[in-house]
Amino acid sequence: MGIGPEAPASLDLDGLLVGLPPAGAWTCLVEIDDVAFGLRCDGFATTVLPVTGINDSWDFEFAVGAADWSAFCSVPRPRGYTTAQAMVATSGARPVRGDRAVWARAAVVVDRVLDALRDASTTTPAAARNPEPPQSPLGLSPIVGRYLTVEVDGTRQRLYHESAGTGPTLLCLHTAGADSRQFRYLLEDPELTARWTVIAFDMPWHGRSEPPTGWQEETYRLTTDTYAATVLAVVDALELERPVLAGCSMGGAIALYLASTHGDRFTGVCALEGGLGNPSRFVEWTNRGDVDHSRFLTSWVGGLIAPASPAGPAAQTLWGYAQSGPGVYQGDTYFYSQDLPRHTEALQPAGCPLYVFSGEYDYSATTEMSREAATRLGGHLVEMPGKGHFPMSEDPVGFAGYLYPVLDLLHDKYER
């Protein structure tokens, strides 16, 4: 499926790019099948340029062939073709030619331009309805937040955690570069909290937990040993008796590790979008002085959100990434991409019931990766058609249909 040569010239960039900050001066050649046009940013305004000849020059090019454009426009959209950034992330950055640091500054613009061209030439898949707020619009939330001090590797860490509900404990671990707000919908779901005490905490350097004194002079790097020790320290400090552990993305990866190495500490483990490592997720553009990491991260992880996820929760999920501290996301992906794979060969079968949940649109921990992890550790794979990488925050109602039946099974183990 192609686009007409008149389509780029008709783009309303002022309306399309509203809300974006100045991204410096840059030029880009966009090639989609047999249509080519330029984008120029003078530091503030972005304009569409005609391609006039051999003497044109560009800071970078973004090239999409006919087959890739057809997949990008197809309904339903396949994994890896939900956004321009998704195509970059799943192809080894093949569409980008030239200065990739300049592309990283302009990535959000490229995302929006390609989305607009697709929307003008094809049908946009319908998104799910935004979930109704579980509580009255006025009054207090049932969530209670407190600080907890634990010792990890000889260092005291002041961690923020939230809790709600009654019954056995469901302990939740957030994704890379994010925080426990991703579990807000679980914490405020009266159906869940009537049977479970839901607890979610922010890792050090994340959300409302604190970084170490002198963080400005450190390069944050999360390791498998420190991550596992932090989770177990929270379990001990809160005196949790064999909770169910539910972690997503990097939280799902450490949940797999803990199911194998400390399975006796948990009644069960739910690894959401959990794999045993993916080297391609560690990239320099998430921590560079010449790239706005908060904007780039919303583009980098945005392609992992499923097309049909409700717009409100999807946008809030990305807002959490926009607030990530400098270098924190990259330090987390160091764990998932580089450190964890050094430990996986020694892993034994899980010492507790293990469920590995996999969304169709996740290319960070693909269904194939999740299936391999479940097979190696003796767990059960729960495939979630149409879901993305952040199921608990981007599509909480749809995710509940997969999570709650598993929690019912694990709740029975508490009652025996």
Side-chain angles (χ1 to χ4, degrees):
M1 177 181 294
I3 61 172
E6 72 285 348
S10 67
L11 289 172
D12 174 18
L13 292 186
D14 288 339
L16 187 63
L17 304 182
V18 65
L20 295 184
W26 52 266
T27 59
C28 167
L29 171 65
V30 180
E31 295 177 329
I32 300 175
D33 195 2
D34 58 355
V35 174
F37 61 96
L39 296 171
R40 173 185 289 157
C41 181
D42 63 6
F44 295 92
T46 302
T47 54
V48 175
L49 301 175
V51 177
T52 58
I54 195 170
N55 293 318
D56 293 334
S57 62
W58 315 94
D59 292 316
F60 71 95
E61 301 175 10
F62 197 92
V64 182
D68 285 337
W69 182 250
S70 178
F72 187 71
C73 293
S74 63
V75 179
R77 295 168 188 161
R79 183 180 73 197
Y81 289 94
T82 51
T83 66
Q85 185 69 276
M87 288 193 285
V88 173
T90 56
S91 68
R94 174 168 43 83
V96 182
R97 307 166 185 163
D99 192 329
R100 291 183 178 176
V102 178
W103 159 75
R105 293 200 299 271
V108 179
V109 174
V110 175
D111 280 346
R112 293 194 184 185
V113 167
L114 263 68
D115 278 352
L117 292 174
R118 173 171 60 185
D119 291 346
S121 60
T122 189
T123 302
T124 301
R129 291 180 55 192
N130 289 326
E132 295 294 330
Q135 301 298 318
S136 168
L138 299 177
L140 293 174
S141 164
I143 300 174
V144 175
R146 299 185 67 179
Y147 278 92
L148 173 73
T149 300
V150 300
E151 186 170 294
V152 180
D153 300 334
T155 300
R156 289 193 174 188
Q157 301 283 5
R158 189 168 183 258
L159 307 180
Y160 180 83
H161 73 286
E162 295 182 330
S163 62
T166 184
T169 300
L170 175 66
L171 180 63
C172 303
L173 309 178
H174 59 74
T175 68
D179 59 60
S180 61
R181 286 176 295 176
Q182 292 181 320
F183 293 95
R184 168 207 160 184
Y185 291 97
L186 297 186
L187 285 156
E188 291 188 336
D189 185 345
E191 176 186 348
L192 181 64
T193 55
R195 303 187 70 203
W196 292 88
T197 300
V198 183
I199 299 176
F201 73 95
D202 298 346
M203 283 287 291
W205 295 77
H206 296 73
R208 293 143 294 184
S209 292
E210 296 179 354
T213 301
W215 62 267
Q216 305 95 319
E217 300 165 359
E218 292 189 30
T219 298
Y220 168 70
R221 289 288 185 268
L222 180 64
T223 66
T224 305
D225 290 341
T226 296
Y227 198 176
T230 302
V231 175
L232 294 175
V234 169
V235 171
D236 291 338
L238 294 178
E239 299 181 343
L240 305 181
E241 184 177 352
R242 298 184 66 245
V244 170
L245 184 66
C248 186
S249 189
M250 78 165 189
I254 200 63
L256 291 170
Y257 178 83
L258 288 169
S260 171
T261 59
H262 294 84
D264 60 317
R265 302 291 304 272
F266 303 99
T267 293
V269 166
C270 297
L272 317 179
E273 312 308 319
L276 296 175
N278 182 348
S280 69
R281 297 309 289 174
F282 187 84
V283 295
E284 65 171 295
W285 311 303
T286 59
N287 186 26
R288 286 179 57 124
D290 56 348
V291 176
D292 179 351
H293 77 281
S294 63
R295 282 291 180 183
F296 181 78
L297 280 178
T298 62
S299 174
W300 183 241
V301 305
L304 293 164
I305 290 178
S309 289
Q316 292 300 323
T317 298
L318 295 182
W319 177 246
Y321 276 91
Q323 295 183 309
S324 178
V328 172
Y329 177 85
Q330 188 181 77
D332 286 341
T333 54
Y334 171 81
F335 151 73
Y336 181 62
S337 300
Q338 300 188 23
D339 190 70
L340 178 64
R342 302 176 186 139
H343 298 263
T344 55
E345 288 301 321
L347 293 181
Q348 300 297 311
C352 63
L354 170 64
Y355 297 86
V356 185
F357 294 73
S358 179
E360 176 184 358
Y361 285 92
D362 188 355
Y363 50 79
S364 175
T366 65
T367 299
E368 295 81 4
M369 294 175 183
S370 295
R371 180 178 291 109
E372 178 187 1
T375 299
R376 286 185 56 185
L377 300 183
H380 306 274
L381 179 67
V382 181
E383 295 190 56
M384 300 185 292
K387 305 307 175 189
H389 183 71
F390 314 95
M392 68 287 177
S393 63
E394 67 175 89
D395 187 7
V397 174
F399 175 53
Y402 294 95
L403 177 65
Y404 291 5
V406 171
L407 291 182
D408 287 343
L409 296 174
L410 294 174
H411 197 282
D412 291 343
K413 293 183 179 297
Y414 274 109
E415 296 177 342
R416 289 174 185 167

